[in-house]
Amino acid sequence: MSLQQFQMCIGGEWTNAISGNTFDSLNPATGEAWAQFPDASAEDVNRAVEAADTAFRSAEWRSLTPTARGKLLRKLGDLIAANTETLAQLESTDNGKLIRETRGQVSYLPEFFYYTAGLADKIEGETLPLDKQDMLAYTIREPLGVVAAIIPWNSPLYLTAIKVAPALAAGNTIVLKPSEHASATLIELVKLAEQAGIPKGVINVVTGYGPSTGAALTSHPKVRKIAFTGGAATARHVIRSSAENFAKLSLELGGKSPQIVFPDADLDSAVNGIVAGIFAASGQSCVAGSRLLVHKDVYEQVINALVERASRIKIGNPQADESEMGPMATAQQLAVVESFVERAQAEGARLRLGGKRPDVDQGWYYEPTIFECSSNADYLMQEEVFGPVAAVIPFETEEEALAMANDSQYGLAAGIWTRDIARAHRVARDVHSGIIWVNTYRVVSAMGSIGGFKSSGYGRESGIDSVLEYTERKTVWINLSSEPMADPFVMR
Ligand code: NAD
């Protein structure tokens, strides 16, 4: 079977790598190669950054008013809406995500563009209430320049939209580096941006591996901001790269998010929320609710209901509408899941469900897996699996639940299940996480910000402040006095 061929977009030109090198992308549902992408070298990356820098300085981009930039983003949103099915099918083929999930994500994508388009002409400066009457000072928010966006494989379009939209709204240009495991939809997005009339060079895409293409991009001297989503170990490399160029950084990293079930919760709803948190997207979600803290009075009831519901999950072809769990996105990720399960068993965690691959001929599938743990210090309670593996532990008091929830290197999201309104607010206040969901889980909106505490990263994406992450504040001082400058050796 011949492989589908993709090219990179640099300065508006569709191109292969200078070396001619390529790499294959594998379909996780079959394990077979389906597409081929250019393997960009440092030289290709340099071309892309130069193109983005030229576009940033160009009269064509600079002369667009913020309102005009907003209109371009709105048009891109419309084009995404018109191509939802194609994009959803492509992403499902590339990363093995359920078609119902990719359809859901892609059909909400235009909202991020519409919302952020509206922010483009609301990036305002301030006048300062100075303590010097002979001076006027005001601030201007300016774009930074070239943004490097590094994207993981699990939700490429969504994680790109929340970077591209604010970066362009604020007047920057961008070079996208998709994951080597899921590059296809970002290339299609750039084609739609072209159709929307976004000038050449404003959005570029280079494909390739992290340590080569990614590192060349993040350390490039003309990159002014790095918007990174991925794992903590990779983030450390990216931080080191940014020591070369002093680019601003935002880091959206992993999590080990707790779901806390109190005894007064609607337990049916909580069990559904737990299933959504850990088994949707086969657990390959940064906000996966992978640590379940359940009050001892309802512990058996919750765990039995969870085992019962999870055992009915339909594992299968991600492109089939009836499937509820697809494969792991890569063979490596499947091996990671298997090694976590082995270690949990060796350390004495009690397996209640799954713990193995299902009986299928092909594809990187893994069964929904539930372990009971005896200590929050267990490896499985502390480390991100990024797969369909839940670790459950009982608690007795709210204080104990809070202590366990916060005893983690991560702080991305948390779920709280209770009907007690005072407790809901108290626990929401005291859990150290960037996102708290009460009696629900995995809800996103263009108006809501995403980002973590501690090893889950820093900076926020999406929401009203997202555009400000792509600006630099400048302060302008005007001398209002008609008197000559005073003593030049004294700071005013
Ligand atoms: P990863 O860290 O392996 O890769 C992410 C991206 O970084 C890829 O494009 C990769 O090619 C690139 N990369 C790798 N090495 C690099 C280097 N030295 N320099 C520059 N770039 C490099 O992550 P992944 O396996 O693709 O995705 C899974 C991880 O992403 C999980 O930890 C998950 O929690 C996290 N994630 C976080 C969020 C969030 O919003 N917080 C969302 C999705 C995924």
Side-chain angles (χ1 to χ4, degrees):
M1 198 185 71
S2 68
L3 303 183
Q4 209 167 312
Q5 301 294 321
F6 287 85
Q7 288 187 306
M8 310 184 285
C9 184
I10 297 179
E13 304 301 324
W14 290 92
T15 174
N16 297 323
I18 293 168
S19 66
N21 291 345
T22 60
F23 64 93
D24 291 351
S25 186
L26 310 183
N27 179 338
T30 61
E32 283 165 12
W34 74 280
Q36 210 160 49
F37 297 88
D39 182 5
S41 64
E43 211 181 334
D44 296 303
V45 169
N46 184 48
R47 278 199 297 155
V49 176
E50 288 293 346
D53 187 56
T54 304
F56 179 68
R57 289 165 204 294
S58 70
E60 189 183 15
W61 184 236
R62 296 235 138 199
S63 64
L64 285 178
T65 61
T67 311
R69 291 200 303 268
K71 283 183 181 158
L72 287 177
L73 290 177
R74 233 170 255 127
K75 212 161 168 190
L76 177 54
D78 289 344
L79 285 166
I80 293 169
N83 288 276
T84 302
E85 188 56 24
T86 315
L87 292 169
Q89 292 281 355
L90 202 56
E91 191 142 301
S92 175
T93 306
D94 213 8
N95 70 358
K97 254 198 167 172
L98 290 183
I99 186 70
R100 56 209 263 191
E101 166 98 342
T102 57
R103 261 187 207 127
Q105 276 193 2
V106 177
S107 46
Y108 192 69
L109 227 49
E111 299 305 325
F112 285 101
F113 284 93
Y114 300 150
Y115 175 78
T116 316
L119 296 175
D121 52 12
K122 291 159 197 74
I123 302 172
E124 297 178 342
E126 303 112 15
T127 49
L128 306 185
L130 289 181
D131 52 357
K132 297 180 187 336
Q133 288 198 326
D134 55 350
M135 295 283 164
L136 166 69
Y138 60 91
T139 64
I140 307 171
R141 288 264 181 190
E142 294 190 348
L144 301 164
V146 178
V147 173
I150 309 284
I151 314 291
W153 42 258
N154 64 325
S155 292
L157 275 174
Y158 162 55
L159 296 167
T160 302
I162 62 177
K163 296 173 176 58
V164 165
L168 267 50
N172 301 276
T173 58
I174 195 160
V175 179
L176 302 173
K177 204 308 259 165
S179 164
E180 53 275 35
H181 304 295
S183 306
T185 47
L186 299 207
I187 290 173
E188 292 309 304
L189 181 74
V190 175
K191 287 184 187 156
L192 297 179
E194 214 172 32
Q195 279 180 42
I198 292 174
K200 285 181 193 304
V202 170
I203 307 186
N204 308 272
V205 57
V206 287
T207 49
Y209 294 94
S212 47
T213 316
L217 179 57
T218 50
S219 58
H220 194 287
K222 287 193 176 167
V223 164
R224 302 304 336 128
K225 150 106 187 173
I226 304 165
F228 173 80
T229 302
T234 314
R236 290 192 176 92
H237 288 292
V238 171
I239 292 168
R240 279 183 211 113
S241 286
S242 74
E244 299 300 318
N245 54 19
F246 296 108
K248 276 179 96 164
L249 264 183
S250 56
L251 302 173
E252 299 283 351
L253 313 179
K256 193 77 198 179
S257 300
Q259 290 244 48
I260 313 172
V261 184
F262 289 98
D264 62 350
D266 173 339
L267 296 183
D268 289 340
S269 197
V271 167
N272 267 333
I274 292 169
V275 168
I278 185 63
F279 299 128
S282 305
Q284 300 170 114
S285 168
C286 54
V287 293
S290 50
R291 275 194 305 152
L292 315 183
L293 317 181
V294 184
H295 192 272
K296 69 174 180 27
D297 290 353
V298 292
Y299 184 78
E300 280 307 321
Q301 194 182 341
V302 168
I303 207 162
N304 289 337
L306 182 62
V307 167
E308 194 281 322
R309 176 65 189 91
S311 62
R312 286 189 287 113
I313 290 176
K314 294 190 196 83
I315 305 175
N317 182 353
Q319 310 257 313
D321 283 330
E322 65 277 11
S323 296
E324 294 177 324
M325 252 179 68
M328 299 288 94
T330 64
Q332 299 92 297
Q333 195 55 34
L334 177 63
V336 167
V337 172
E338 287 178 322
S339 74
F340 263 95
V341 168
E342 258 173 48
R343 181 156 177 181
Q345 280 178 311
E347 289 182 356
R350 184 174 168 221
L351 182 67
R352 291 291 301 264
L353 186 72
K356 58 183 173 44
R357 302 178 63 174
D359 194 13
V360 289
D361 298 338
Q362 55 176 11
W364 302 313
Y365 294 91
Y366 202 83
E367 289 187 0
T369 296
I370 301 170
F371 276 105
E372 287 182 85
C373 291
S374 52
S375 160
N376 193 53
D378 289 358
Y379 188 69
L380 191 60
M381 294 295 289
Q382 291 293 327
E383 298 298 328
E384 182 186 45
V385 181
F386 219 59
V389 183
V392 199
I393 194 163
F395 69 86
E396 287 194 28
T397 64
E398 187 178 307
E399 293 66 39
E400 193 192 353
L402 263 175
M404 284 203 279
N406 289 334
D407 174 21
S408 168
Q409 63 177 310
Y410 294 111
L412 189 56
I416 302 167
W417 298 88
T418 178
R419 287 188 174 105
D420 178 338
I421 190 165
R423 167 181 278 156
H425 285 294
R426 216 167 39 232
V427 179
R429 182 195 60 197
D430 292 341
V431 172
H432 304 152
S433 293
I435 309 167
I436 308 280
W437 286 299
V438 178
N439 296 331
T440 187
Y441 208 80
R442 254 181 129 231
V443 188
V444 295
S445 158
M447 293 95 203
S449 74
I450 298 166
F453 290 17
K454 303 187 271 184
S455 301
S456 292
Y458 45 77
R460 292 291 178 268
E461 293 189 309
S462 186
I464 199 157
D465 298 335
S466 57
V467 285
L468 301 184
E469 297 258 352
Y470 292 88
T471 64
E472 199 82 89
R473 181 193 264 141
K474 176 185 275 178
T475 306
V476 181
W477 293 85
I478 313 282
N479 185 358
L480 301 177
S481 152
S482 49
E483 299 298 314
M485 277 277 292
D487 186 348
F489 303 104
V490 178
M491 195 188 225
R492 283 235 41 219

